[in-house]
């Protein structure tokens, strides 16, 4: 099946909200591995997953990523040619979404220490590192011992960054799931069995059971592009 990018824009449109909506995007093998034998996830989904990955970036105000993924995958700030300029103009978005690297150690890849980018960490992270990073990037340092995600969401809302895209990895995803902060999961299921030692797309110390509702499922050749929305009661 050919991808109709215009139709996909509507299928992946963010809901209109005045609060951040956290969408996570992952690819997995049939047996649940979050990366291929090269230790990276990019090769798993093929061209259709790559197209959706780019579309989701084009729709986002901000991309958050764990420092582990930023280091493993050699993250770089998003370039203008990597996103759909017309789409962003139509939606009233800035030309490119910044990337917010999440880290406790503040071992941030040098390429990500660039004006316009963000770092999310705790208030009790190394003051010297926070000071040094703050000269180049916007540092959101909230929470003691662990990041206070409610405060992170408030800060992102204050910046007008309500369309949040989380590109992983499994440690960050596990934390967001545990705290019931994932509003939507975009999951590509690749027609591959992997075994090996790769983790699932989320892990953490505590198991939870958060029900999701199917938004859509698309088949492109043997790849399944799925979208799941968190089912919350009105009191949530
Ligand atoms: N299948 C997929 O779609 C997909 C998507 C993304 C990544 N991946 C793969 O996942 C692997 C990386 O896994 P990972 O679990 O190491 O990824 P990760 O969650 O990106 O990185 C873990 C690191 O990020 C920081 N971090 C994450 N959550 C945090 C939190 N709640 N609070 C503070 N810091 C936090 C910490 O950095 P510090 O160590 O700096 O404190 C932590 O050590 C890579 O091989 C990548 O290719 C797969």
């Amino acid at each position: 099946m050919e991808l109709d990018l215009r139709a996909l824009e509507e299928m992946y449109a963010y809901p209109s909200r005045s609060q951040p909506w956290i969408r996570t995007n992952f690819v997995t093998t049939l047996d649940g591995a979050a990366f291929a034998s090269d230790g990276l996830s990019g090769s798993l989904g093929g061209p259709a997953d790559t197209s959706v990955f780019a579309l989701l970036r084009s729709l986002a105000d901000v991309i958050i990523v764990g420092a582990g993924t930023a280091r493993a995958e050699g993250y770089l700030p998003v370039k203008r040619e990597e996103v759909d300029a017309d789409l962003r103009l139509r939606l009233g978005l800035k030309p490119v979404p910044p990337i917010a690297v999440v880290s406790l150690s503040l071992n941030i890849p040098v390429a990500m220490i660039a004006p316009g980018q963000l770092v999310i960490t705790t208030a009790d992270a190394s003051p010297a590192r926070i000071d040094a990073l703050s000269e180049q990037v916007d540092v959101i340092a909230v929470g003691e011992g662990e990041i206070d995600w409610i405060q992170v969401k408030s800060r992102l809302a204050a910046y007008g960054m309500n369309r949040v895209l989380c590109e992983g990895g499994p440690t960050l995803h596990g934390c967001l799931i545990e705290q019931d902060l994932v509003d939507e999961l975009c999951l590509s299921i690749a027609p591959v069995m992997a075994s090996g030692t790769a983790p699932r797309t989320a892990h953490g110390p505590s198991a939870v059971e958060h029900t999701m509702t199917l938004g859509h499922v698309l088949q492109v050749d043997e790849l399944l592009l799925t979208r799941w929305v968190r089912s919350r009661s009105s009191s949530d």
Side-chain angles (χ1 to χ4, degrees):
M1 188 188 109
E2 280 290 302
L3 281 181
D4 176 347
L5 284 176
R6 203 57 191 251
L8 284 182
E9 275 172 41
E10 287 178 20
M11 295 177 84
Y12 284 102
Y14 279 85
S16 120
R17 272 170 48 123
S18 54
Q19 285 296 308
W21 174 271
I22 300 183
R23 160 183 285 168
T24 61
N25 182 31
F26 280 87
V27 59
T28 180
T29 65
L30 294 174
D31 56 342
F35 49 75
S37 53
D38 62 359
L40 304 175
S41 56
S43 59
L44 281 178
D49 183 58
T50 304
S51 298
V52 170
F53 182 90
L55 172 64
L56 297 189
R57 283 189 156 198
S58 294
L59 292 167
D61 287 315
V62 62
I63 297 163
I64 62 173
V65 67
T69 297
R71 293 188 289 256
E73 307 246 354
Y75 259 59
L76 299 169
V78 180
K79 299 185 185 74
R80 282 183 186 235
E81 58 270 26
E82 292 170 345
V83 289
D84 183 334
D86 291 341
L87 172 60
R88 293 188 68 82
L89 195 63
R90 261 189 281 128
L91 294 175
L93 306 180
K94 297 206 168 124
V96 288
I99 295 183
V101 180
V102 180
S103 172
L104 287 186
S105 73
L106 293 180
N107 173 14
I108 309 296
V110 175
M112 292 309 306
I113 307 174
Q117 310 307 309
L118 295 93
V119 167
I120 299 174
T121 190
T122 54
D124 53 2
S126 158
R129 286 293 296 146
I130 291 180
D131 285 350
L133 286 166
S134 298
E135 289 177 11
Q136 303 270 4
V137 301
D138 197 339
V139 180
I140 300 177
V142 286
E144 304 277 328
E146 62 181 50
I147 291 167
D148 180 336
W149 287 97
I150 301 304
Q151 285 199 58
V152 171
K153 283 181 73 170
S154 300
R155 289 283 288 276
L156 294 178
Y159 295 153
M161 295 176 174
N162 289 327
R163 298 170 171 96
V164 182
L165 171 64
C166 172
E167 293 183 340
T171 305
L172 176 57
H173 200 205
C175 166
L176 296 176
I177 292 172
E178 199 179 309
Q179 297 191 33
D180 202 5
L181 292 166
V182 175
D183 296 301
E184 181 188 326
L185 165 66
C186 296
L187 182 69
S188 298
I189 303 168
V192 176
M193 298 278 263
S195 190
T197 56
R200 293 180 291 130
T201 62
H203 58 76
S206 311
V208 292
E209 196 168 319
H210 294 157
T211 311
M212 307 294 282
T213 301
L214 182 62
H216 68 240
V217 55
L218 286 172
Q219 181 181 345
V220 185
D221 299 325
E222 298 299 318
L223 179 80
L224 295 183
L225 297 166
T226 72
R227 176 176 166 271
W228 301 86
V229 179
R230 175 79 175 103
S231 316
R232 289 197 170 88
S233 66
S234 50
S235 56
D236 285 339

